[in-house]
Amino acid sequence: MGLVYLAGAITPVGMLVTYAVLLTVLAVTAWLTLRSPIDEDEGEFPPTFFAVGLLLLIIIAVLLRIWGNQYSDLQGDEAEVLFRATRLILGSENSLVTHSKGPAEILIVSAFGALTGRFDEFTVRLPFALASVGGVAGTTLLGWQLFGSLAGLVTGGLLAVNGVFVTYARTAQYQSLMLLSVSYTHLRAHETRYTI
C-alpha cells in the first residue's frame, strides 16, 4: 500500500525495490537484536562479516528466484491457482474452500493480481519467489542463532542455491510459503530460548 501511495502505481521493479529495502531493514534489525547462543570464539565471524554474508546470500537468492521468472506459461497446478484467484476476485468464495492445498496460495495470487491489475506469469510467481528469499534469510539467521555464524552462512548458502527450493520458488505453489513460515517460526521460538 505504501508503494501505491508513494509511486502511484505498482510495477514489478517497484515491488522488487520495496521488498529488497524491507528485507534489508529486517535483516539489519534481526542482526542488531538477535544474539548468538555461542560466545564469540576464534571460529566465529565478526558481526559485520556475517551481515555482509547474509546480504550476499539474499542477492544470490533474489537472482536465482526472480530473474527471468516469466520463463514459461503457467503450468498445471499454477493454472488452477490462477483460475481460483480470478474467481475469488469475481466473488466466488467456493474457490477457497474446495481447494485441497489450502487458501494461502490463492489469496496471495489474488492480492497481488488485484494490487497490480495484472495476472501474467511474473506477477503470479513473484510472491512465492519473495517468500523463498525470505525463507533463505530466516534459515540463515536460525542457523546463526543455533550454531554460530559459520553454520548460519553455510546453511543459507546451501539453501540459496538448492535446485529444489529454487524450482519451487519459481512456481505459484505453497512450498515457498511453508519455508518462510517454518524458518521464522523456529527463529522466534529459539530467540526466546537463547536471548537474555
Side-chain angles (χ1 to χ4, degrees):
M1 288 182 70
L3 184 61
V4 171
Y5 291 131
L6 292 176
I10 294 181
T11 63
V13 173
M15 291 176 70
L16 286 175
V17 169
T18 302
Y19 186 76
V21 168
L22 289 175
L23 196 56
T24 302
V25 168
L26 287 173
V28 170
T29 303
W31 173 62
L32 294 174
T33 59
L34 298 177
R35 297 175 189 255
S36 175
I38 302 171
D39 295 326
E40 295 295 327
D41 295 329
E42 295 176 10
E44 287 294 302
F45 296 126
T48 305
F49 183 84
F50 179 78
V52 170
L54 177 61
L55 184 61
L56 288 175
L57 289 177
I58 290 170
I59 291 169
I60 290 168
V62 164
L63 290 175
L64 289 176
R65 286 157 174 80
I66 297 176
W67 188 269
N69 207 6
Q70 71 283 3
Y71 63 97
S72 71
D73 294 336
L74 296 173
Q75 303 291 320
D77 289 346
E78 290 182 303
E80 181 183 351
V81 168
L82 178 60
F83 174 71
R84 290 176 179 273
T86 54
R87 287 191 60 203
L88 181 66
I89 290 174
L90 295 174
S92 173
E93 296 167 0
N94 282 343
S95 60
L96 287 179
V97 291
T98 60
H99 188 52
S100 61
K101 295 182 183 178
E105 58 191 15
I106 297 169
L107 290 170
I108 288 174
V109 169
S110 61
F112 262 67
L115 283 173
T116 61
R118 300 169 51 170
F119 285 99
D120 61 354
E121 287 79 6
F122 182 82
T123 306
V124 169
R125 292 175 178 146
L126 181 63
F128 302 95
L130 296 176
S132 183
V133 171
V136 169
T139 305
T140 303
L141 291 171
L142 180 62
W144 166 63
Q145 194 175 35
L146 291 175
F147 303 109
S149 57
L150 178 61
L153 291 174
V154 168
T155 302
L158 291 173
L159 192 60
V161 299
N162 184 292
V164 173
F165 287 103
V166 171
T167 301
Y168 279 130
R170 295 173 67 85
T171 59
Q173 291 289 295
Y174 67 93
Q175 289 87 354
S176 296
L177 303 174
M178 294 302 298
L179 172 65
L180 176 66
S181 63
V182 167
S183 65
Y184 279 99
T185 300
H186 286 290
L187 181 65
R188 301 314 291 178
H190 289 289
E191 176 189 10
T192 57
R193 186 169 149 200
Y194 287 114
T195 57
I196 296 175

